[in-house]
Amino acid sequence: MAEVQVLASDGSVKKIDRDSKEGLQALRQTTALLLAAALHQQFDGIRLGADVASDDGFYVDSDKDDVQVSADELGQLEDGIKKFAKDDAKIERVEVPLADALAEVKNDPYQSELLKTAADNDKVALFKVGDFATVATEDVLCYVDVVKNFKVLSVAGAYWQGKSSNPMLQRIYGTVFYKKDALEDDLKARQEARERDHRVIGNDLDLFFVDPKVGAGLPYWMPKGATIRRVIERYIIDKEVANGYKHVYTPILMNLDVYKTSGHWQHYREDMFPPMDMGDGEQLELRPMNCPSHIQIYKHHIRSYRELPLRIAELGMMHRYEKSGALSGLQRVREMTLNDGHTFVAPSQILDEFKSILQLMIEVYHDFDINDYSFRLSYRDPKNTDKYFDDDEMWNNAQTMLKQAMDDMGLDYYEAEGEAAFYGPKLDVQTKTALGNDETLSTIQLDFMLPKQFDLHYIGEDGQEHRPIMIHRGLVSTMERFTAYLTEMYKGAFPTWLSPEQVKIIPVREDLHADYAEDLRKELAAAGIRVSVDHRNEKMGYKIREAQTQKVPYTLVVGDNEVKDSGVTVRKYGEEKQVSKSKQDFLDEILGDLSSYSRE
RNA sequence: GCCGACUUAGCUCAGUUGGCAGAGCAUCUGUUUUGUAAACAGGAGGUCGAAGGUUCGAAUCCUUUAGUCGGCACCA
């Protein structure tokens, strides 16, 4: 076990395993410090923000008004880091009076702020390397000669202290490891991440496109993408109907007054498209959420306690005016169709209904083979409560209830303040995109507010009116985001049941085998399989290659041998091996795939 | 929305100090009838994102604008 000495901000020194998480973090923090030192040395008068070790590397912020670092200057910064990382170089901790430290950085508001935050009793601890010193915060390595295998990757923008009301700084990102091959693996993984990006695959496989001339964030689903979506839609509707959901269709346009009643207009307006003024005083609004629509369904009849839980669901199209910089392929769009559902329950039913929704979600994830996710309990921000519906008791009860349900079910989760919807706390299922960004896939939200706003009630056993509670839930997210997620997860090689083209038949000779190929296609199509014959005037190798690059699960070659045996020769995606079998055996195989959602 | 970079044929990309807009793949036409990852030949295809400006002359320089990408902020 290789050990490294780390220096903490309080001056204590200890040895830790360099391959531990802390060991890597200390290396990242150290490299960030050296990058800050290099920036300080190479760019006179640069004002430095924080130097930070992140989950996948490190970064340093700096003011860009006087010094704008360009992408082609990153190499010279690497050289600068190397100069600091000499054999005998050490990071030392010094403690100085705050006033002295502030005097040193009097033209740098960011360092001043960091110093003030870190100061204790008018003294502040600094980490020093060469003649560069900055605030001591996270652990660093005592000896910096291990900073060898690193790369300065990119320059981007970031708000000072993460607040959009603050000035924007430039942020320089990098990555670092103890071992050279670990660095190379990391760089390779970053490259591969780009190759599995759903926008790249979506283009290669012709799944969808966005045309800027028509509108940003408004995707077009090409036939193959539409097929994947249709499979998802049919799957989830069947699943939900089987689990007691009533599927409905509701308008995507509603009178704006409804959104004033719901509170969306007050809390969510900046994400909504502007209302359409119809000229006669009526204002119509493109809906940003489906909940008010399902509330109308609820209110259409007088409801009895016997009907609860009442589960209303819809693949609901909605429009949100997402900020231009947030748009990204199918992941963030302005028109989306959510696998939405709202359960109306009596207070005593909340816990059980929440658990049964979560159980259903876990089943669905299993069918799609989604395993890499975490549960997040999203609470309101206690320091900024005016963003949310105002009812402290409701919030506290609901948040407690969510936590209890998760604990009862024995599921791991983490808690996040400030992530709630404006009307209530929620359970979010967090996943990562190919590029490593966090995103919410599924969500289950408790809502005590909308039933009150819309004055919902049901008749209880006692013959009196009672207020139901709403649970908002999306199991497979929006069709857009879910398709994007699956595309990245499967790298475009969808399991047979989801694959837009399941079987490609290639006749060896068009003049001799086309009829057999066509008969085969008809038999498979009759069994519900998405199949086509490649009749083009091309060589077999060409057609095989295309079937592989298009990631078709099964390629069937038929020639004299197959005609004679009334069979097929099967080549699976990603395999070179060819297996000859009877038509029936192949049909059994692929139907087995479909019924089990299998990828094999 | 903010910071930076980018935008050339359906796709991926060249295009030098401003001087006649290019390649590969795809598409179309022929020839070829093929047994497991790219047959051969020929043709067609672009107001260089858009609008203004500088210049004898702009894909190239300047301004504005839209979009895309990487981040940040915001979120399904």
Side-chain angles (χ1 to χ4, degrees):
Chain A
M1 177 170 99
E3 288 192 325
V4 285
Q5 273 190 51
V6 298
L7 171 64
S9 60
D10 64 5
S12 62
V13 174
K14 63 179 173 184
K15 286 189 173 180
I16 62 168
D17 178 4
R18 75 176 194 182
D19 295 321
S20 66
K21 200 177 164 214
E22 294 75 24
L24 184 56
Q25 284 301 102
L27 177 65
R28 286 168 171 161
Q29 185 64 49
T30 304
T31 314
L33 179 66
L34 298 190
L35 174 56
L39 282 162
H40 178 75
Q41 188 179 60
Q42 292 180 10
F43 299 96
D44 201 30
I46 193 167
R47 294 182 284 187
L48 292 167
D51 50 295
V52 176
S54 64
D55 285 343
D56 65 346
F58 61 89
Y59 60 80
V60 178
D61 289 347
S62 63
D63 194 296
K64 61 187 165 39
D65 288 348
D66 21 46
V67 178
Q68 175 70 59
V69 178
S70 74
D72 39 282
E73 287 169 313
L74 299 180
Q76 83 184 51
L77 284 169
E78 291 180 349
D79 295 341
I81 292 174
K82 282 178 196 148
K83 277 185 200 149
F84 278 101
K86 287 210 178 71
D87 289 350
D88 54 344
K90 257 194 104 163
I91 294 179
E92 284 171 25
R93 176 182 181 275
V94 292
E95 204 167 273
V96 299
L98 176 61
D100 294 359
L102 286 174
E104 281 290 316
V105 296
K106 59 180 187 298
N107 293 323
D108 186 336
Y110 313 110
Q111 285 292 308
S112 302
E113 183 79 29
L114 292 170
L115 285 165
K116 282 179 203 158
T117 307
D120 185 22
N121 287 330
D122 294 329
K123 292 232 166 191
V124 65
L126 304 177
F127 284 149
K128 202 159 177 281
V129 56
D131 59 357
F132 174 75
T134 188
V135 190
T137 51
E138 303 299 318
D139 294 1
V140 293
L141 300 170
C142 296
Y143 298 95
V144 301
D145 59 324
V146 290
V147 177
K148 285 193 185 97
N149 303 302
F150 65 92
K151 186 160 178 61
V152 178
L153 294 167
S154 58
V155 53
Y159 295 107
W160 167 238
Q161 294 185 325
K163 288 204 189 93
S164 58
S165 52
N166 282 344
M168 177 150 279
L169 308 180
Q170 64 188 339
R171 173 169 294 177
I172 298 174
Y173 286 93
T175 185
V176 62
F177 292 90
Y178 286 102
K179 290 183 181 147
K180 190 168 182 206
D181 51 354
L183 174 67
E184 283 166 1
D185 287 350
D186 183 63
L187 295 176
K188 202 171 144 200
R190 286 171 196 268
Q191 177 60 34
E192 280 170 1
R194 278 189 281 275
E195 287 164 13
R196 72 190 294 164
D197 188 316
H198 79 282
R199 289 164 299 185
V200 174
I201 296 173
N203 192 39
D204 290 347
L205 300 188
D206 205 18
L207 303 180
F208 74 96
F209 69 91
V210 179
D211 183 348
K213 286 192 285 297
V214 180
L218 303 174
Y220 284 71
W221 295 73
M222 291 300 278
K224 288 169 66 181
T227 300
I228 296 168
R229 171 173 171 167
R230 190 169 62 248
V231 174
I232 297 168
E233 290 181 343
R234 287 177 175 170
Y235 164 87
I236 196 66
I237 290 174
D238 287 350
K239 190 83 178 172
E240 287 176 344
V241 168
N243 279 272
Y245 285 85
K246 314 288 186 197
H247 261 263
V248 299
Y249 296 97
T250 61
I252 63 167
L253 279 171
M254 281 182 111
N255 193 299
L256 182 63
D257 289 343
V258 179
Y259 293 102
K260 287 180 177 166
T261 303
S262 70
H264 287 103
W265 188 242
Q266 293 82 341
H267 292 278
Y268 203 71
R269 186 174 179 169
E270 64 173 27
D271 292 300
M272 293 165 68
F273 278 86
M276 287 171 245
D277 188 335
M278 305 314 291
D280 59 356
E282 185 183 30
Q283 288 192 299
L284 290 177
E285 180 63 31
L286 271 174
R287 69 177 176 200
M289 292 182 176
N290 305 310
C291 15
S293 307
H294 293 179
I295 286 172
Q296 301 310 313
I297 298 263
Y298 182 93
K299 281 175 74 113
H300 189 63
H301 294 301
I302 292 176
R303 300 294 180 179
S304 153
Y305 73 96
R306 296 174 194 276
E307 293 179 78
L308 308 185
L310 181 65
R311 306 181 180 97
I312 305 295
E314 178 177 9
L315 297 174
M317 180 186 278
M318 354 183 263
H319 292 78
R320 298 183 182 176
Y321 193 76
E322 298 291 337
K323 303 218 172 42
S324 59
L327 299 173
S328 176
L330 287 180
Q331 258 149 12
R332 281 290 286 279
V333 292
R334 285 179 173 159
E335 178 186 285
M336 69 215 88
T337 299
L338 181 65
N339 162 232
D340 209 355
H342 296 89
T343 303
F344 299 84
V345 294
S348 64
Q349 297 171 324
I350 299 175
L351 258 183
D352 281 348
E353 182 62 13
F354 177 87
K355 289 179 193 170
S356 81
I357 292 169
L358 189 48
Q359 192 54 49
L360 179 59
M361 196 213 83
I362 289 169
E363 276 178 50
V364 169
Y365 272 38
H366 179 260
D367 286 343
F368 284 97
D369 204 20
I370 299 172
N371 302 303
D372 191 12
Y373 59 89
S374 53
F375 292 119
R376 178 180 80 188
L377 290 182
S378 301
Y379 303 150
R380 73 173 166 168
D381 183 351
K383 295 188 290 288
N384 188 14
T385 53
D386 52 325
K387 244 175 85 180
Y388 306 95
F389 178 60
D390 182 23
D391 183 339
D392 290 346
E393 195 188 338
M394 176 288 269
W395 281 95
N396 293 336
N397 287 342
Q399 292 178 181
T400 306
M401 210 174 288
L402 280 180
K403 198 165 150 59
Q404 189 196 330
M406 296 301 285
D407 289 338
D408 285 354
M409 292 179 77
L411 297 168
D412 287 334
Y413 58 87
Y414 66 99
E415 295 163 283
E417 287 180 340
E419 297 288 351
F422 73 83
Y423 47 71
K426 52 184 182 159
L427 169 73
D428 291 320
V429 183
Q430 296 302 110
T431 54
K432 281 195 191 301
T433 67
L435 294 184
N437 297 318
D438 268 322
E439 70 177 358
T440 303
L441 210 53
S442 307
T443 180
I444 308 176
Q445 313 177 347
L446 301 189
D447 180 2
F448 297 78
M449 178 194 118
L450 288 179
K452 199 184 279 183
Q453 301 293 96
F454 283 95
D455 192 27
L456 301 186
H457 43 74
Y458 61 91
I459 308 300
E461 271 178 281
D462 56 5
Q464 303 296 310
E465 291 185 350
H466 297 272
R467 179 86 70 219
I469 288 102
M470 278 175 79
I471 303 177
H472 309 238
R473 35 107 295 166
L475 298 185
V476 293
S477 185
T478 60
M479 295 307 108
E480 289 75 14
R481 177 167 293 183
F482 199 63
T483 304
Y485 181 79
L486 292 178
T487 301
E488 298 189 345
M489 185 179 106
Y490 288 118
K491 295 186 191 149
F494 294 96
T496 308
W497 74 287
L498 284 169
S499 189
E501 297 179 286
Q502 296 169 324
V503 177
K504 182 68 82 182
I505 302 173
I506 300 177
V508 174
R509 274 184 57 169
E510 186 66 21
D511 52 348
L512 299 179
H513 311 126
D515 290 346
Y516 182 78
E518 272 305 314
D519 290 346
L520 179 60
R521 181 188 67 75
K522 283 179 196 149
E523 283 175 55
L524 294 174
I529 290 161
R530 296 185 285 274
V531 53
S532 62
V533 183
D534 192 340
H535 285 300
R536 290 176 304 174
N537 177 17
E538 296 288 351
K539 297 187 79 161
M540 258 187 62
Y542 180 91
K543 297 181 184 178
I544 300 268
R545 178 173 193 274
E546 188 172 279
Q548 291 294 307
T549 57
Q550 290 292 303
K551 302 175 199 269
V552 178
Y554 291 99
T555 304
L556 305 183
V557 172
V558 294
D560 287 345
N561 300 334
E562 289 73 21
V563 172
K564 178 161 65 70
D565 300 342
S566 193
V568 295
T569 295
V570 183
R571 175 170 170 157
K572 284 194 192 180
Y573 170 72
E575 295 180 13
E576 287 182 29
K577 159 178 90 175
Q578 301 145 42
V579 182
S580 294
K581 54 180 71 176
S582 72
K583 283 198 267 189
Q584 190 57 48
D585 283 353
F586 173 69
L587 194 59
D588 289 346
E589 179 183 354
I590 191 168
L591 291 178
D593 277 5
L594 299 182
S595 62
S596 66
Y597 307 118
S598 167
R599 98 149 287 179
E600 284 303 307

